[in-house]
Amino acid sequence: MSNYLKNIVLFSFVILSFTSRSQFDNFLSKSSISFNVGGSYYLGDLNKFGHFKNTNFSGAMIYKHNFNSRLALRLALSYGKVEAYDSESKNDFQQNRNLSFESPIWELASGFEFNYFNYKIGNEQYYATPFLFIGIGVSRINPQTEFDGELVELQPLGTEGQGTSFTGDKIYNLTQIVIPFGVGFKVNLGEKTAFNIEYGLRKTFTDFLDDVSGTYVDPNQLALENGTIAATLSDRSLEGERSFGARGNDATKDWYAMFNLGITFRLGKETRCAFE
């Protein structure tokens, strides 16, 4: 009786191992990973409409799991950098305001990708398609500016009175929720590889990617509570101190964009059915 039970247990383990291996292979066959390089830029108070202005290097690694030939889940880790300068603007107000910033951006996002046509890596009939993507993610920002030849982090300074007793505003968070969405195109290069290109905007829920949002504050009070550097960097206008009036537009949030091209690799063997 004991030998009989042992055989049943052994047989069960063998069946489970084959089932798990089969499921894992099927999972891999629907999975891919891509490595991408491109550019990133920002839209906000210091650059309202200049798409692709001050573009910097960006990179991304994107994992995709295809539910079928039209829909995939995607998980992306991206890096970019954005910057802008009032001195480059043709607007008189911005030139006089004379602010500038740069910020690295790390982004982790998940979402869905929708193929316009049926598509699968390695399939000779369904080898290319435009696509759309949308998701939700978190980004890590860190606005900085150059001061006396060095980069200074702006968020701890509270340049618009954040963290002081006379405004009551809190220091903004460097970790922000974002909604990435965009378009792309992909085409097979072989049985296990594809070329992809995409462009995506990021809707943020902060107006402080550039550290510019509301109004000027009294530089004397700011110097007392946050220090002289905070007071100096809060107002760099060419006409001197401006302790009142608009510094930015707090009615709109900041945006940034990333665009890239890359190579995608299927992780497993091709399944028999093109649309499994």
Side-chain angles (χ1 to χ4, degrees):
M1 185 68 175
S2 59
N3 288 335
Y4 178 72
L5 289 175
K6 289 180 181 179
N7 289 333
I8 291 177
V9 171
L10 179 61
F11 179 75
S12 298
F13 273 115
V14 171
I15 295 298
L16 286 173
S17 65
F18 275 110
T19 302
S20 299
R21 178 61 184 274
S22 176
Q23 290 177 344
F24 182 69
D25 289 343
N26 185 52
F27 179 84
L28 282 183
S29 70
K30 297 179 180 180
S31 299
S32 65
I33 189 167
S34 63
F35 301 93
N36 309 271
V37 294
S40 56
Y41 66 92
Y42 135 98
L43 297 169
D45 285 301
L46 275 69
N47 178 34
K48 295 182 179 180
F49 309 111
H51 283 277
F52 301 102
K53 188 175 182 179
N54 290 313
T55 292
N56 285 275
F57 169 82
S58 72
M61 182 171 62
I62 305 174
Y63 166 80
K64 299 177 187 178
H65 181 75
N66 300 282
F67 298 115
N68 52 50
S69 64
R70 303 291 289 273
L71 177 64
L73 173 72
R74 55 185 275 156
L75 179 65
L77 175 63
S78 307
Y79 168 80
K81 179 186 173 183
V82 295
E83 61 182 327
Y85 306 88
D86 275 343
S87 59
E88 297 178 351
S89 174
K90 296 180 180 179
N91 180 279
D92 292 339
F93 169 81
Q94 285 189 239
Q95 287 184 6
N96 180 61
R97 183 176 59 181
N98 195 37
L99 295 175
S100 64
F101 92 103
E102 64 180 72
S103 176
I105 298 177
W106 286 95
E107 176 189 287
L108 180 64
S110 180
F112 295 97
E113 187 170 296
F114 307 91
N115 296 330
Y116 189 77
F117 302 122
N118 290 325
Y119 173 79
K120 186 179 180 184
I121 294 179
N123 188 283
E124 295 182 357
Q125 184 177 4
Y126 305 109
Y127 62 89
T129 184
F131 64 86
L132 306 173
F133 68 89
I134 189 170
I136 188 168
V138 293
S139 65
R140 182 71 177 181
I141 63 174
N142 187 19
Q144 306 163 54
T145 194
E146 187 174 334
F147 179 65
D148 285 345
E150 297 183 358
L151 281 179
V152 177
E153 295 181 353
L154 292 166
Q155 183 249 23
L157 298 178
T159 56
E160 294 188 1
Q162 303 97 327
T164 62
S165 61
F166 58 89
T167 68
D169 295 336
K170 296 181 180 179
I171 294 288
Y172 57 86
N173 202 326
L174 296 179
T175 301
Q176 295 288 335
I177 299 294
V178 295
I179 297 179
F181 62 94
V183 298
F185 179 81
K186 49 192 173 184
V187 59
N188 289 345
L189 298 178
E191 294 184 358
K192 297 194 68 173
T193 60
F195 169 80
N196 55 273
I197 183 170
E198 67 177 49
Y199 170 88
L201 284 166
R202 272 65 175 175
K203 173 177 173 51
T204 77
F205 297 89
T206 180
D207 194 30
F208 286 104
L209 174 56
D210 50 19
D211 192 63
V212 179
S213 179
T215 59
Y216 288 96
V217 295
D218 188 325
N220 296 316
Q221 288 184 291
L222 188 61
L224 287 174
E225 295 198 34
N226 287 6
T228 56
I229 294 179
T232 299
L233 295 182
S234 70
D235 183 359
R236 308 186 80 175
S237 58
L238 301 179
E239 294 179 356
E241 292 186 352
R242 299 170 56 186
S243 58
F244 61 91
R247 188 171 186 260
N249 180 9
D250 59 5
T252 60
K253 305 301 182 185
D254 296 328
W255 294 69
Y256 65 92
M258 291 186 176
F259 56 94
N260 54 63
L261 53 85
I263 301 295
T264 300
F265 302 91
R266 191 180 67 229
L267 298 180
K269 297 179 179 179
E270 185 179 5
T271 56
R272 293 180 181 179
C273 177
F275 308 121
E276 288 183 345

